[in-house]
Structures are given as structure tokens and as C-alpha cells.
Amino acid sequence: MAFLDPRMTLSPLGLSSGMKVADVGAGSGAYALAAAEAVGDSGVIYAIDVQKELLGKLKREAERRGKHSIHIVWANAEVLGGSGLNDQSVDAAIFSNVLFQMEDKEEALREVRRILVPKGRVLVIDWSESGGLGPQKGHLFGKAAARALFEGNGFTFRTESRAGDHHYALVFQKS
């Protein structure tokens, strides 16, 4: 495994038909598109990002693929209430390659706790090393730091899984 395969990386999250999922910092949408496959037409994917241009590209790609379950949400998830989603409205959330970029990680976790149903799960994927591809070494947000952040903000660690040569993947559950 050289780089990330979103379908395989999403597997430990246990997505199934009809689920509602928030892709926080959706970016180009690789995870939103893979999650849409997993939840089917009866599910909903909220692709949340602050970058309108990337969301526009994702919207066009979702339409091209016929993935009508993807809802584009231009919002700042680093603010409590910033996603605009209702309390306890999603079953799961995805944080892929965003922790190292977030300025207010704790506020982002408060927001995801707010929108998750009780016992809802979060998949965290981030860079374990840069290898010249990702963030500079000083900007990495490592696995131990991610675990401490989530556990310190009302989440219980559930599992770790393989996520490519340069990433880690952790699953947490809302306590």
C-alpha cells in the first residue's frame, strides 16, 4: 500500500446504508465520494469545507458520478455551530488530513461532538510523516497527539487501522 485508498481506509468506521456522515474538511472529496458509496442513495454525506473552489469541484464530480447523497456545506467547522448541521444529526464523521491544518482543534471537536448522535464514531486520518509529500515535519499532528486530543474532549478510542505509508487512522466514539 503506497498511498491512501479511501474505501479501504473508511472500512473501520463501519458505514452502512442509510447513515448520515459529516466529512469535515472534505477538500477534493475523495472520502465524501467513497462514503457516498458506502451509505448508498438512502444515506447522506455532508461535505464540509471552507474552500468554495474545492467544494465546487466536488459538487461537479458528485453530479458526474450520480452521487446525489452528497450535500455541499460551505462552512467553518472550527466554530461551535459553524457547520450549520443540527445537534445529533450525523452517525459518523471523517477528519482526513485536517488536524495538522486546524487552528482551533478543540473547538472543531466540540462541533463534531455536537452534531454526532450518541455513540457516533469519528475516523481520524492524518499524516504520520511528510516524506516530502505532506506538511513539513514541524506541522505534523501525530497519532499520540490526536489520541490525547480526542480522549480529552469526550471521545473513547476504539481502534487503529492501516492507512497507507504516510498516514495513521484512528476511530473514536462519542462518549
Side-chain angles (χ1 to χ4, degrees), residues 30-62:
Y31 283 91
L33 291 163
E37 291 286 334
V39 303
D41 292 338
S42 61
V44 176
I45 308 300
Y46 298 103
I48 304 167
D49 209 299
V50 295
Q51 298 181 63
K52 273 187 174 180
E53 183 179 315
L54 289 176
L55 289 173
K57 289 179 182 177
L58 172 55
K59 182 178 182 177
R60 289 187 295 279
E61 183 61 19

mmCIF file of all heavy atoms in Angstrom, residues 30-62:
data_model
loop_
_atom_site.group_PDB
_atom_site.id
_atom_site.type_symbol
_atom_site.label_atom_id
_atom_site.label_comp_id
_atom_site.label_asym_id
_atom_site.label_seq_id
_atom_site.Cartn_x
_atom_site.Cartn_y
_atom_site.Cartn_z
ATOM 1 N N ALA A 30 -12.431 12.997 -1.878
ATOM 2 C CA ALA A 30 -12.168 11.560 -2.036
ATOM 3 C C ALA A 30 -12.930 10.735 -0.996
ATOM 4 O O ALA A 30 -13.506 9.687 -1.320
ATOM 5 C CB ALA A 30 -10.677 11.278 -1.950
ATOM 6 N N TYR A 31 -12.954 11.204 0.247
ATOM 7 C CA TYR A 31 -13.660 10.465 1.293
ATOM 8 C C TYR A 31 -15.171 10.640 1.197
ATOM 9 O O TYR A 31 -15.918 9.699 1.460
ATOM 10 C CB TYR A 31 -13.128 10.845 2.682
ATOM 11 C CG TYR A 31 -11.809 10.167 2.916
ATOM 12 C CD1 TYR A 31 -10.624 10.797 2.568
ATOM 13 C CD2 TYR A 31 -11.752 8.878 3.412
ATOM 14 C CE1 TYR A 31 -9.410 10.158 2.726
ATOM 15 C CE2 TYR A 31 -10.540 8.226 3.574
ATOM 16 C CZ TYR A 31 -9.373 8.878 3.225
ATOM 17 O OH TYR A 31 -8.178 8.224 3.370
ATOM 18 N N ALA A 32 -15.631 11.811 0.840
ATOM 19 C CA ALA A 32 -17.071 12.024 0.666
ATOM 20 C C ALA A 32 -17.611 11.095 -0.422
ATOM 21 O O ALA A 32 -18.671 10.478 -0.252
ATOM 22 C CB ALA A 32 -17.357 13.481 0.319
ATOM 23 N N LEU A 33 -16.880 10.980 -1.517
ATOM 24 C CA LEU A 33 -17.310 10.107 -2.612
ATOM 25 C C LEU A 33 -17.303 8.642 -2.191
ATOM 26 O O LEU A 33 -18.244 7.897 -2.487
ATOM 27 C CB LEU A 33 -16.434 10.334 -3.843
ATOM 28 C CG LEU A 33 -16.619 11.695 -4.529
ATOM 29 C CD1 LEU A 33 -15.448 12.002 -5.455
ATOM 30 C CD2 LEU A 33 -17.944 11.740 -5.283
ATOM 31 N N ALA A 34 -16.262 8.220 -1.487
ATOM 32 C CA ALA A 34 -16.194 6.828 -1.016
ATOM 33 C C ALA A 34 -17.284 6.554 0.015
ATOM 34 O O ALA A 34 -17.907 5.487 0.008
ATOM 35 C CB ALA A 34 -14.811 6.537 -0.436
ATOM 36 N N ALA A 35 -17.540 7.516 0.911
ATOM 37 C CA ALA A 35 -18.589 7.351 1.920
ATOM 38 C C ALA A 35 -19.965 7.273 1.256
ATOM 39 O O ALA A 35 -20.831 6.514 1.703
ATOM 40 C CB ALA A 35 -18.537 8.490 2.935
ATOM 41 N N ALA A 36 -20.152 8.042 0.191
ATOM 42 C CA ALA A 36 -21.425 8.001 -0.533
ATOM 43 C C ALA A 36 -21.687 6.600 -1.088
ATOM 44 O O ALA A 36 -22.837 6.138 -1.092
ATOM 45 C CB ALA A 36 -21.440 9.043 -1.651
ATOM 46 N N GLU A 37 -20.646 5.936 -1.534
ATOM 47 C CA GLU A 37 -20.790 4.543 -1.999
ATOM 48 C C GLU A 37 -21.263 3.663 -0.846
ATOM 49 O O GLU A 37 -22.144 2.821 -1.013
ATOM 50 C CB GLU A 37 -19.458 4.017 -2.532
ATOM 51 C CG GLU A 37 -18.985 4.644 -3.807
ATOM 52 C CD GLU A 37 -19.761 4.167 -5.023
ATOM 53 O OE1 GLU A 37 -20.306 3.045 -4.998
ATOM 54 O OE2 GLU A 37 -19.828 4.933 -5.991
ATOM 55 N N ALA A 38 -20.666 3.860 0.338
ATOM 56 C CA ALA A 38 -20.958 3.006 1.492
ATOM 57 C C ALA A 38 -22.363 3.209 2.040
ATOM 58 O O ALA A 38 -22.995 2.252 2.481
ATOM 59 C CB ALA A 38 -19.929 3.245 2.590
ATOM 60 N N VAL A 39 -22.864 4.447 2.039
ATOM 61 C CA VAL A 39 -24.184 4.712 2.636
ATOM 62 C C VAL A 39 -25.320 4.611 1.620
ATOM 63 O O VAL A 39 -26.486 4.605 2.014
ATOM 64 C CB VAL A 39 -24.232 6.074 3.364
ATOM 65 C CG1 VAL A 39 -23.162 6.150 4.445
ATOM 66 C CG2 VAL A 39 -24.134 7.240 2.400
ATOM 67 N N GLY A 40 -24.981 4.537 0.355
ATOM 68 C CA GLY A 40 -25.992 4.372 -0.680
ATOM 69 C C GLY A 40 -26.886 5.590 -0.859
ATOM 70 O O GLY A 40 -26.677 6.634 -0.248
ATOM 71 N N ASP A 41 -27.889 5.413 -1.686
ATOM 72 C CA ASP A 41 -28.798 6.512 -2.015
ATOM 73 C C ASP A 41 -29.663 6.945 -0.836
ATOM 74 O O ASP A 41 -30.167 8.067 -0.818
ATOM 75 C CB ASP A 41 -29.700 6.129 -3.190
ATOM 76 C CG ASP A 41 -28.918 5.998 -4.489
ATOM 77 O OD1 ASP A 41 -27.824 6.587 -4.578
ATOM 78 O OD2 ASP A 41 -29.391 5.293 -5.401
ATOM 79 N N SER A 42 -29.833 6.069 0.155
ATOM 80 C CA SER A 42 -30.659 6.428 1.312
ATOM 81 C C SER A 42 -29.860 7.155 2.389
ATOM 82 O O SER A 42 -30.435 7.671 3.343
ATOM 83 C CB SER A 42 -31.316 5.182 1.909
ATOM 84 O OG SER A 42 -30.320 4.280 2.356
ATOM 85 N N GLY A 43 -28.540 7.209 2.240
ATOM 86 C CA GLY A 43 -27.691 7.915 3.196
ATOM 87 C C GLY A 43 -27.441 9.346 2.771
ATOM 88 O O GLY A 43 -27.886 9.779 1.708
ATOM 89 N N VAL A 44 -26.739 10.077 3.634
ATOM 90 C CA VAL A 44 -26.416 11.474 3.351
ATOM 91 C C VAL A 44 -24.969 11.727 3.757
ATOM 92 O O VAL A 44 -24.546 11.321 4.839
ATOM 93 C CB VAL A 44 -27.333 12.441 4.134
ATOM 94 C CG1 VAL A 44 -26.920 13.894 3.902
ATOM 95 C CG2 VAL A 44 -28.786 12.236 3.759
ATOM 96 N N ILE A 45 -24.238 12.398 2.895
ATOM 97 C CA ILE A 45 -22.878 12.834 3.192
ATOM 98 C C ILE A 45 -22.875 14.356 3.177
ATOM 99 O O ILE A 45 -23.258 14.973 2.179
ATOM 100 C CB ILE A 45 -21.854 12.326 2.145
ATOM 101 C CG1 ILE A 45 -21.960 10.819 1.944
ATOM 102 C CG2 ILE A 45 -20.443 12.771 2.525
ATOM 103 C CD1 ILE A 45 -21.725 9.984 3.162
ATOM 104 N N TYR A 46 -22.458 14.945 4.281
ATOM 105 C CA TYR A 46 -22.286 16.396 4.358
ATOM 106 C C TYR A 46 -20.801 16.683 4.142
ATOM 107 O O TYR A 46 -19.978 16.376 5.007
ATOM 108 C CB TYR A 46 -22.739 16.937 5.715
ATOM 109 C CG TYR A 46 -24.198 16.705 5.991
ATOM 110 C CD1 TYR A 46 -24.609 15.692 6.853
ATOM 111 C CD2 TYR A 46 -25.165 17.497 5.391
ATOM 112 C CE1 TYR A 46 -25.957 15.469 7.104
ATOM 113 C CE2 TYR A 46 -26.519 17.282 5.631
ATOM 114 C CZ TYR A 46 -26.901 16.263 6.485
ATOM 115 O OH TYR A 46 -28.238 16.048 6.726
ATOM 116 N N ALA A 47 -20.467 17.223 2.988
ATOM 117 C CA ALA A 47 -19.084 17.566 2.658
ATOM 118 C C ALA A 47 -18.856 19.004 3.109
ATOM 119 O O ALA A 47 -19.316 19.945 2.474
ATOM 120 C CB ALA A 47 -18.842 17.412 1.168
ATOM 121 N N ILE A 48 -18.151 19.158 4.233
ATOM 122 C CA ILE A 48 -17.974 20.463 4.870
ATOM 123 C C ILE A 48 -16.563 20.977 4.599
ATOM 124 O O ILE A 48 -15.584 20.266 4.850
ATOM 125 C CB ILE A 48 -18.187 20.353 6.389
ATOM 126 C CG1 ILE A 48 -19.565 19.759 6.697
ATOM 127 C CG2 ILE A 48 -18.005 21.710 7.063
ATOM 128 C CD1 ILE A 48 -19.738 19.334 8.145
ATOM 129 N N ASP A 49 -16.470 22.204 4.113
ATOM 130 C CA ASP A 49 -15.156 22.814 3.918
ATOM 131 C C ASP A 49 -15.307 24.327 3.852
ATOM 132 O O ASP A 49 -16.400 24.832 3.586
ATOM 133 C CB ASP A 49 -14.491 22.292 2.630
ATOM 134 C CG ASP A 49 -12.976 22.304 2.723
ATOM 135 O OD1 ASP A 49 -12.396 23.391 2.902
ATOM 136 O OD2 ASP A 49 -12.366 21.228 2.628
ATOM 137 N N VAL A 50 -14.195 25.028 4.074
ATOM 138 C CA VAL A 50 -14.185 26.485 3.973
ATOM 139 C C VAL A 50 -13.735 26.943 2.592
ATOM 140 O O VAL A 50 -13.831 28.124 2.269
ATOM 141 C CB VAL A 50 -13.284 27.146 5.047
ATOM 142 C CG1 VAL A 50 -13.844 26.897 6.439
ATOM 143 C CG2 VAL A 50 -11.854 26.665 4.933
ATOM 144 N N GLN A 51 -13.262 26.010 1.785
ATOM 145 C CA GLN A 51 -12.748 26.360 0.460
ATOM 146 C C GLN A 51 -13.817 26.126 -0.608
ATOM 147 O O GLN A 51 -14.063 24.997 -1.016
ATOM 148 C CB GLN A 51 -11.499 25.541 0.147
ATOM 149 C CG GLN A 51 -10.370 25.806 1.124
ATOM 150 C CD GLN A 51 -9.143 25.014 0.774
ATOM 151 O OE1 GLN A 51 -8.567 25.207 -0.294
ATOM 152 N NE2 GLN A 51 -8.747 24.117 1.662
ATOM 153 N N LYS A 52 -14.428 27.223 -1.051
ATOM 154 C CA LYS A 52 -15.511 27.145 -2.041
ATOM 155 C C LYS A 52 -15.077 26.460 -3.328
ATOM 156 O O LYS A 52 -15.832 25.688 -3.913
ATOM 157 C CB LYS A 52 -16.017 28.547 -2.374
ATOM 158 C CG LYS A 52 -17.072 29.062 -1.482
ATOM 159 C CD LYS A 52 -17.609 30.378 -2.032
ATOM 160 C CE LYS A 52 -18.792 30.844 -1.228
ATOM 161 N NZ LYS A 52 -19.328 32.111 -1.725
ATOM 162 N N GLU A 53 -13.866 26.759 -3.784
ATOM 163 C CA GLU A 53 -13.404 26.198 -5.048
ATOM 164 C C GLU A 53 -13.355 24.672 -4.992
ATOM 165 O O GLU A 53 -13.817 23.998 -5.921
ATOM 166 C CB GLU A 53 -12.021 26.753 -5.394
ATOM 167 C CG GLU A 53 -11.511 26.253 -6.730
ATOM 168 C CD GLU A 53 -10.147 26.837 -7.076
ATOM 169 O OE1 GLU A 53 -9.960 28.060 -6.896
ATOM 170 O OE2 GLU A 53 -9.295 26.058 -7.530
ATOM 171 N N LEU A 54 -12.819 24.119 -3.905
ATOM 172 C CA LEU A 54 -12.768 22.662 -3.776
ATOM 173 C C LEU A 54 -14.166 22.067 -3.685
ATOM 174 O O LEU A 54 -14.433 21.016 -4.272
ATOM 175 C CB LEU A 54 -11.937 22.267 -2.551
ATOM 176 C CG LEU A 54 -10.443 22.502 -2.654
ATOM 177 C CD1 LEU A 54 -9.753 22.152 -1.341
ATOM 178 C CD2 LEU A 54 -9.833 21.704 -3.797
ATOM 179 N N LEU A 55 -15.042 22.724 -2.968
ATOM 180 C CA LEU A 55 -16.419 22.232 -2.869
ATOM 181 C C LEU A 55 -17.116 22.259 -4.227
ATOM 182 O O LEU A 55 -17.897 21.360 -4.548
ATOM 183 C CB LEU A 55 -17.210 23.052 -1.848
ATOM 184 C CG LEU A 55 -16.834 22.825 -0.383
ATOM 185 C CD1 LEU A 55 -17.571 23.815 0.509
ATOM 186 C CD2 LEU A 55 -17.122 21.390 0.046
ATOM 187 N N GLY A 56 -16.814 23.277 -5.025
ATOM 188 C CA GLY A 56 -17.382 23.346 -6.374
ATOM 189 C C GLY A 56 -16.933 22.175 -7.232
ATOM 190 O O GLY A 56 -17.734 21.575 -7.957
ATOM 191 N N LYS A 57 -15.655 21.839 -7.139
ATOM 192 C CA LYS A 57 -15.126 20.682 -7.881
ATOM 193 C C LYS A 57 -15.779 19.397 -7.408
ATOM 194 O O LYS A 57 -16.147 18.537 -8.214
ATOM 195 C CB LYS A 57 -13.610 20.593 -7.723
ATOM 196 C CG LYS A 57 -12.860 21.672 -8.463
ATOM 197 C CD LYS A 57 -11.368 21.544 -8.245
ATOM 198 C CE LYS A 57 -10.616 22.664 -8.946
ATOM 199 N NZ LYS A 57 -9.171 22.595 -8.695
ATOM 200 N N LEU A 58 -15.924 19.265 -6.086
ATOM 201 C CA LEU A 58 -16.566 18.066 -5.538
ATOM 202 C C LEU A 58 -18.014 17.971 -6.006
ATOM 203 O O LEU A 58 -18.475 16.893 -6.394
ATOM 204 C CB LEU A 58 -16.492 18.070 -4.008
ATOM 205 C CG LEU A 58 -17.285 16.972 -3.301
ATOM 206 C CD1 LEU A 58 -16.911 15.583 -3.788
ATOM 207 C CD2 LEU A 58 -17.097 17.094 -1.791
ATOM 208 N N LYS A 59 -18.712 19.072 -5.997
ATOM 209 C CA LYS A 59 -20.114 19.067 -6.441
ATOM 210 C C LYS A 59 -20.215 18.579 -7.894
ATOM 211 O O LYS A 59 -21.058 17.742 -8.220
ATOM 212 C CB LYS A 59 -20.718 20.458 -6.302
ATOM 213 C CG LYS A 59 -22.171 20.521 -6.696
ATOM 214 C CD LYS A 59 -22.761 21.895 -6.494
ATOM 215 C CE LYS A 59 -24.227 21.867 -6.871
ATOM 216 N NZ LYS A 59 -24.871 23.139 -6.640
ATOM 217 N N ARG A 60 -19.334 19.102 -8.739
ATOM 218 C CA ARG A 60 -19.350 18.681 -10.151
ATOM 219 C C ARG A 60 -19.026 17.187 -10.294
ATOM 220 O O ARG A 60 -19.673 16.475 -11.072
ATOM 221 C CB ARG A 60 -18.391 19.531 -10.971
ATOM 222 C CG ARG A 60 -18.887 20.973 -11.166
ATOM 223 C CD ARG A 60 -18.029 21.785 -12.108
ATOM 224 N NE ARG A 60 -16.681 22.023 -11.618
ATOM 225 C CZ ARG A 60 -16.338 22.961 -10.748
ATOM 226 N NH1 ARG A 60 -17.257 23.773 -10.260
ATOM 227 N NH2 ARG A 60 -15.079 23.100 -10.372
ATOM 228 N N GLU A 61 -18.050 16.708 -9.517
ATOM 229 C CA GLU A 61 -17.677 15.294 -9.589
ATOM 230 C C GLU A 61 -18.804 14.405 -9.055
ATOM 231 O O GLU A 61 -19.095 13.359 -9.632
ATOM 232 C CB GLU A 61 -16.374 15.039 -8.824
ATOM 233 C CG GLU A 61 -15.874 13.616 -8.892
ATOM 234 C CD GLU A 61 -15.544 13.117 -10.291
ATOM 235 O OE1 GLU A 61 -15.342 13.937 -11.222
ATOM 236 O OE2 GLU A 61 -15.485 11.885 -10.471
ATOM 237 N N ALA A 62 -19.439 14.816 -7.981
ATOM 238 C CA ALA A 62 -20.558 14.041 -7.435
ATOM 239 C C ALA A 62 -21.699 13.966 -8.441
ATOM 240 O O ALA A 62 -22.297 12.897 -8.637
ATOM 241 C CB ALA A 62 -21.031 14.669 -6.122
#
